[in-house]
Amino acid sequence: MSLQTRLGMSAVIVSALALSACSGGVASSENANPDAVELNVLGYAALFEDQYTAAVIDKFNAAQDDIVVNFVPSQNSAEMLGKLRSESSAPTVDVAILDASVAHTGNQEGLFSKVSASDVPNLANVVELGQSADGYGPAVTFDNLVVLYNTAEVKTPPKGIADLWDAPENSVSIPAPPDIQGHTLTILTANNLGVDYRDGIEPAVEKLAELAPLVNTWEPVPDVYQPVISGTSQYGVGWNARAQYFAEDSDGAMSVVQPDDGIGFQINTINLVEGTENAEAAKKFMDYALSSEAQQSFAEALFYAPVVSGVELPADVSDRVADSADPNIVDIDWIWLADERDAWTEQWRRSVIGG
């Protein structure tokens, strides 16, 4: 099935769910359980929403009739945090999927509840990289920074992050900080220089300033993938999940490289919203989201790496996602970085973008 067909089917499913919700939700179907708990899951809009709904939520809904899950879309983690803050006294969502560093802020502010393996049994299968040291929501997806290139314009494919410095002038798209893709690039650059980013990023910033003349945009529109597909940019960096999806959809115009000089993971966590009246149902969905079945299904749909052990992916999928046990992974302390992101962004603006 082509990606266009899959996406089209997802859109039909989402539309059907929306129509069902508008006409009375769970009670609108003759076969629905009128006593079913309606659960709202907050997550990323657009491509993530479409694929997660089809790969995980629809399957959960079809497997039982005690809970009906709706997906509530949001543009980004910061927007989700704002929504959760605004309705903290009376939340309208029960589960939230968002970036680990933003989720940490929510944990500190009391927006999320702690969970344990007694609440969510599959939590015990989450690999160490995805566990919360403080007992809050664990990872639900792993993504990682990759190198993108236009196959018509680039004759010798890059192998890693360091190869970006060999690109022609005015040929590279980089999502600069505050986008965390830029922060991840900073950490991988520091790693290639043999520098611990926690000790200071000045050497990495100096190196990135050398890349600046090769960059044609620090704010790719609508995202970093389309300029590379069109040939407006020859190279770029982006997240693997969307990169793999758009590469396949581009009929070979864009290709994706897993860097051989460092893998930097981005982590989305799944969180129980504090104050929800549907906590038990929410835990059941969280448990399903962390099951091997759901993790495999979403990896096949959108190339996110599984966060639980023991998932066996088809070869054509496993070859296109990073393994959480790969020794090439660069440790990124996103919780530590949450307090440094503004300062890093300012260093970029002063010394890289405006240098």
Side-chain angles (χ1 to χ4, degrees):
M1 185 183 294
S2 71
L3 288 175
Q4 291 94 334
T5 301
R6 286 159 54 192
L7 188 56
M9 289 179 66
S10 297
V12 170
I13 291 169
V14 172
S15 297
L17 286 173
L19 288 171
S20 174
C22 291
S23 60
V26 297
S28 63
S29 169
E30 293 180 3
N31 298 322
N33 176 5
D35 297 320
V37 175
E38 192 162 0
L39 201 69
N40 292 323
V41 176
L42 182 65
Y44 300 104
L47 184 59
F48 188 102
E49 174 187 3
D50 293 337
Q51 298 303 309
Y52 198 77
T53 297
V56 180
I57 290 177
D58 287 349
K59 292 182 179 181
F60 176 80
N61 286 341
Q64 48 75 50
D65 64 357
D66 295 328
I67 304 167
V68 174
V69 176
N70 304 311
F71 192 99
V72 179
S74 188
Q75 292 303 312
N76 53 54
S77 294
E79 184 176 287
M80 292 185 219
L81 184 64
K83 175 179 176 63
L84 292 164
R85 283 168 169 165
S86 69
E87 55 186 46
S88 60
S89 60
T92 62
V93 296
D94 310 287
V95 175
I97 296 173
L98 70 168
D99 178 76
S101 60
V102 179
H104 175 66
T105 301
N107 296 338
Q108 291 180 313
E109 296 180 7
L111 299 177
F112 300 125
S113 299
K114 293 185 177 183
V115 293
S116 67
S118 61
D119 301 316
V120 181
N122 281 319
L123 179 61
N125 300 323
V126 175
V127 299
E128 183 178 357
L129 180 64
Q131 294 280 354
S132 167
D134 298 322
Y136 288 97
V140 71
T141 67
F142 289 144
D143 206 353
N144 69 285
L145 203 72
V146 290
V147 179
L148 322 169
Y149 69 94
N150 181 282
T151 55
E153 297 292 333
V154 177
K155 304 307 179 186
T156 303
K159 295 181 179 180
I161 297 295
D163 290 334
L164 293 172
W165 276 259
D166 295 326
E169 287 191 9
N170 202 41
S171 68
V172 183
S173 288
I174 301 290
D179 193 307
I180 64 170
Q181 293 172 92
H183 291 308
T184 307
L185 178 61
T186 306
I187 291 170
L188 296 180
T189 301
N191 181 70
N192 286 342
L193 294 171
V195 174
D196 187 334
Y197 64 90
R198 283 162 288 209
D199 293 335
I201 60 168
E202 288 75 16
V205 167
E206 289 179 12
K207 185 67 176 178
L208 288 161
E210 296 174 12
L211 183 64
L214 314 183
V215 174
N216 58 20
T217 178
W218 299 106
E219 297 182 13
V221 177
D223 52 49
V224 71
Y225 315 102
Q226 304 313 315
V228 177
I229 290 171
S230 69
T232 303
S233 298
Q234 295 181 31
Y235 300 88
V237 295
W239 295 125
N240 183 66
R242 286 170 173 76
Q244 297 287 354
Y245 188 96
F246 288 126
E248 191 170 330
D249 205 34
S250 74
D251 294 325
M254 183 178 75
S255 192
V256 182
V257 174
Q258 297 286 354
D260 65 359
D261 54 357
I263 294 172
F265 269 123
Q266 180 267 341
I267 301 173
N268 285 320
T269 59
I270 186 166
N271 304 275
L272 177 63
V273 174
E274 175 68 23
T276 172
E277 297 179 353
N278 302 315
E280 293 309 310
K283 292 171 187 176
K284 289 181 180 179
F285 175 73
M286 291 174 67
D287 192 54
Y288 178 77
L290 297 173
S291 69
S292 294
E293 174 189 350
Q295 289 286 305
Q296 177 176 338
S297 181
F298 196 44
E300 292 176 356
L302 199 52
F303 305 103
Y304 280 93
V307 303
V308 299
S309 57
V311 177
E312 295 185 8
L313 299 177
D316 62 338
V317 177
S318 63
D319 289 346
R320 298 168 67 183
V321 301
D323 188 334
S324 60
D326 193 316
N328 204 29
I329 291 174
V330 176
D331 176 43
I332 301 179
D333 187 344
W334 287 110
I335 306 308
W336 177 89
L337 186 55
D339 295 328
E340 302 293 327
R341 286 172 61 172
D342 289 346
W344 283 26
T345 298
E346 182 57 33
Q347 283 185 267
W348 262 75
R349 288 173 176 163
R350 184 174 60 250
S351 302
V352 180
I353 299 173

